[in-house]
Amino acid sequence: MSITNTPSSNDACLSIVHSLMCHRQGGESETFAKRAIESLVKKLKEKKDELDSLITAITTNGAHPSKCVTIGRTLDGRLQVAGRKGFPHVIYTRLWRWPDLHKNELKHVKYCQFAFDLKCDSVCVNPYHYDRVVSPGIDLSSLTLTSSAPSSGLMVKDEYDFDGHSPLSSIDGGHSLQTIQHPPSSRALPTSEPFNTPGMLSPSDPSTASTSAFPSISVGSGNAPSTWTRNSNFTANMPLHQNGHLQHHPPMSHPGHYWPVHNELAYQPPISNHPAPDYWCSIAYFEMDVQVGETFKVPSTCSVVTVDGYVDPSGGDRFCLGQLSNVHRTEAIERARLHIGKGIQLECKGEGDVWVRCLSDHAVFVQSYYLDREAGRAPGDAVHKIYPSAYIKVFDLRQCHRQMQQQAATAQAAAAAQAAAVAGNMPGPGSVGGIAPAISLSAAAGIGVDDLRRLCILRMSFVKGWGPDYPRQSIKETPCWIEIHLHRALQLLDEVLHTMPIADPQPLD
């Protein structure tokens, strides 16, 4: 839309919203974007000069100077849109500039009088009053900047299109399942670089080291706000170009108490002396909530396995889904299966780490606790969209082992403490007849074996995603997906449970 056709503050709200919607970057769903823009325009309708400043800033992509665009600061500083909460300047900067933005990457420009960090009663949400910054610890030679903006008509819902823009980050503090996007890197990070993000290491790099320090896990805190923060030395002021995004992000520290502390060396001895299992994984194929065909087992002698949509006989290092029949298959499932194509490649590295390469012309959607951690999310709190040609790590055996050890130990200790509390024998401050400690420990004590088995399982949907950005709320509502059981991880879980048995299992979702 040219500047001559842009609306003014005197136009109807609907016209202004329609114009501003044309300039969004496509990282959020159309419904969310429209509600966020409508909310902002209505708040500014009585402040015509600020509304005109917003229209000018957005329609000219910041080419013309603009004044502060302010809304009132809420008690907790966050704005609620369509049932999701986030910091207002982050919401609108994501909508119109960087859809892959994290909240700690913003720094206000000097002339902004009501920037979020200034703690004024009003907050400036003008996206062009903020610059994007990166940590001083990053060697920029190893990073790729993409300056081309995605088409405004492409959104995360365009499941059959590769729209080329990078990770969709959730609204800070939102509790709902979110889609995080993983586009292909133009090149892998060299192993000699001092900075390596575990999820995007060079395929030849055996290290899974992370410089992040994660607090001890807090079991039963799955509803905690899924926020994250950079390291304390986040001081560099390096703005990225408009619509530019980093393909690789620096290590993150997470205040949500979801993940345990760990330090790793470049070389580490095997976690267990037990011989590796004969099959490193087994793959079950589902259509909606029904398994189709037999479970496919991958021998440990085949470190790489391909799962595709062709009709060749399966065997060894290839699982062909096209030759599987299902008398209850619907037309929608049939259409989705046509798009599986070359599918994916799973690679087992080292003792049991797993990488995935998307060979299909269409994205795959992954449920991975490892990627949740790397994105700073709560376990099981995100769906990860893996774009065609992307090669990314989706499972870390050592991290999984630490997680199962700590959860099993926590559950075992909590069950014992709960029993003592119910009996009135819980010592220490905060004990009120044993009742309060029993309540606070009940969630931890309720962890079962199946809760730990989830750590050893990956789920991937071909072509179709699920979550709030899609009409499907669960992977069991997607037309074609696979569940991958990682046998080395399950073997380690068996060892952990023999040393510290816990409560009876709960049903696996």
Side-chain angles (χ1 to χ4, degrees):
M1 181 178 289
S2 66
I3 297 175
T4 56
N5 293 329
T6 56
S8 73
S9 58
N10 294 320
D11 289 315
C13 286
L14 189 62
S15 299
I16 299 172
V17 170
H18 177 75
S19 174
L20 296 178
M21 281 285 286
C22 293
H23 293 270
R24 75 189 192 280
Q25 294 305 307
E28 294 286 2
S29 68
E30 183 176 11
T31 300
F32 179 87
K34 187 174 182 180
R35 288 191 186 180
I37 295 172
E38 283 177 344
S39 172
L40 180 57
V41 170
K42 288 177 181 177
K43 286 183 173 73
L44 299 175
K45 202 58 179 162
E46 301 303 318
K47 298 187 284 185
K48 294 184 180 296
D49 58 332
E50 293 188 21
L51 182 53
D52 282 326
S53 288
L54 175 70
I55 294 169
T56 299
I58 301 307
T59 57
T60 65
N61 293 329
H64 293 247
S66 54
K67 296 188 293 188
C68 285
V69 177
T70 61
I71 61 175
R73 181 185 290 271
T74 60
L75 288 176
D76 66 354
R78 297 187 297 168
L79 177 70
Q80 182 162 323
V81 178
R84 295 161 57 188
K85 274 194 170 186
F87 295 108
H89 63 310
V90 177
I91 292 175
Y92 293 107
T93 305
R94 281 179 182 159
L95 278 180
W96 284 307
R97 294 192 73 183
W98 301 296
D100 63 327
L101 178 75
H102 289 295
K103 69 182 181 68
N104 285 30
E105 292 178 330
L106 285 182
K107 180 178 176 63
H108 66 270
V109 296
K110 292 181 180 179
Y111 52 83
C112 183
Q113 299 176 330
F114 297 94
F116 181 83
D117 293 337
L118 298 180
K119 308 295 183 184
C120 301
D121 290 338
S122 296
V123 178
C124 179
V125 295
N126 186 335
Y128 293 93
H129 277 204
Y130 295 89
D131 285 328
R132 194 173 186 181
V133 296
V134 294
S135 170
I138 306 175
D139 179 359
L140 292 179
S141 66
S142 68
L143 302 178
T144 303
L145 288 176
T146 302
S147 58
S148 59
S151 166
S152 60
L154 288 170
M155 298 167 290
V156 72
K157 280 191 177 182
D158 293 326
E159 296 166 88
Y160 291 114
D161 294 315
F162 173 45
D163 46 21
H165 60 276
S166 80
L168 164 68
S169 302
S170 67
I171 292 292
D172 303 291
H175 303 301
S176 61
L177 197 70
Q178 298 299 317
T179 306
I180 299 176
Q181 300 179 35
H182 300 268
S185 298
S186 60
R187 66 183 181 93
L189 284 170
T191 57
S192 59
E193 296 292 348
F195 155 64
N196 282 322
T197 298
M200 300 294 279
L201 287 172
S202 164
S204 60
D205 192 338
S207 171
T208 55
S210 170
T211 58
S212 304
F214 292 84
S216 298
I217 188 168
S218 174
V219 181
S221 60
N223 294 324
S226 47
T227 59
W228 66 271
T229 175
R230 299 278 185 191
N231 294 332
S232 58
N233 65 347
F234 189 84
T235 56
N237 303 327
M238 174 162 286
L240 298 184
H241 298 298
Q242 179 203 354
N243 299 329
H245 61 265
L246 290 174
Q247 296 280 26
H248 308 290
H249 295 287
M252 297 173 287
S253 60
H254 192 301
H257 305 288
Y258 297 123
W259 305 105
V261 176
H262 69 279
N263 289 303
E264 295 181 338
L265 304 174
Y267 169 76
Q268 293 166 325
I271 299 173
S272 170
N273 293 325
H274 284 198
D278 294 334
Y279 300 91
W280 71 265
C281 78
S282 56
I283 307 170
Y285 169 66
F286 293 82
E287 292 176 359
M288 307 296 278
D289 59 350
V290 177
Q291 181 174 349
V292 178
E294 300 293 327
T295 299
F296 182 81
K297 294 185 177 181
V298 184
S300 295
T301 53
C302 298
S303 61
V304 178
V305 60
T306 301
V307 183
D308 60 41
Y310 300 127
V311 296
D312 300 323
S314 299
D317 62 353
R318 189 177 176 197
F319 185 19
C320 296
L321 306 179
Q323 46 89 25
L324 299 176
S325 60
N326 177 11
V327 295
H328 302 293
R329 183 172 294 152
T330 64
E331 184 179 348
I333 294 174
E334 196 67 71
R335 283 199 308 269
R337 280 168 52 85
L338 293 175
H339 292 279
I340 296 175
K342 295 179 181 179
I344 60 160
Q345 210 171 55
L346 294 167
E347 181 176 3
C348 180
K349 297 173 72 70
E351 192 176 354
D353 295 351
V354 179
W355 293 67
V356 64
R357 187 189 305 277
C358 182
L359 303 175
S360 174
D361 292 333
H362 306 285
V364 294
F365 298 80
V366 180
Q367 187 179 71
S368 160
Y369 285 4
Y370 172 78
L371 288 179
D372 291 344
R373 173 194 178 278
E374 295 309 309
R377 303 304 303 267
D381 194 35
V383 179
H384 301 268
K385 185 175 183 179
I386 313 298
Y387 281 101
S389 301
Y391 179 67
I392 187 169
K393 185 176 183 179
V394 293
F395 181 79
D396 184 285
L397 185 66
R398 290 184 181 276
Q399 181 195 99
C400 176
H401 186 238
R402 281 189 301 269
Q403 182 78 359
M404 63 177 66
Q405 280 184 315
Q406 187 147 1
Q407 283 202 19
T410 303
Q412 189 181 49
Q418 184 181 25
V422 171
N425 297 327
M426 177 67 79
S431 176
V432 184
I435 297 175
I439 295 173
S440 64
L441 290 167
S442 61
I447 290 180
V449 175
D450 278 333
D451 295 290
L452 298 180
R453 288 183 66 250
R454 289 186 183 94
L455 300 173
C456 311
I457 295 172
L458 296 169
R459 285 173 166 177
M460 299 185 188
S461 171
F462 294 98
V463 183
K464 297 291 187 178
W466 74 95
D469 297 309
Y470 303 96
R472 298 160 295 276
Q473 297 306 304
S474 163
I475 194 172
K476 293 182 179 181
E477 297 173 29
T478 61
C480 41
W481 58 281
I482 56 175
E483 184 172 86
I484 304 147
H485 289 241
L486 303 172
H487 293 184
R488 183 61 166 173
L490 290 167
Q491 186 183 54
L492 294 177
L493 175 59
D494 189 56
E495 292 182 19
V496 168
L497 294 176
H498 273 89
T499 57
M500 51 180 90
I502 61 174
D504 291 333
Q506 299 173 353
L508 181 63
D509 292 336

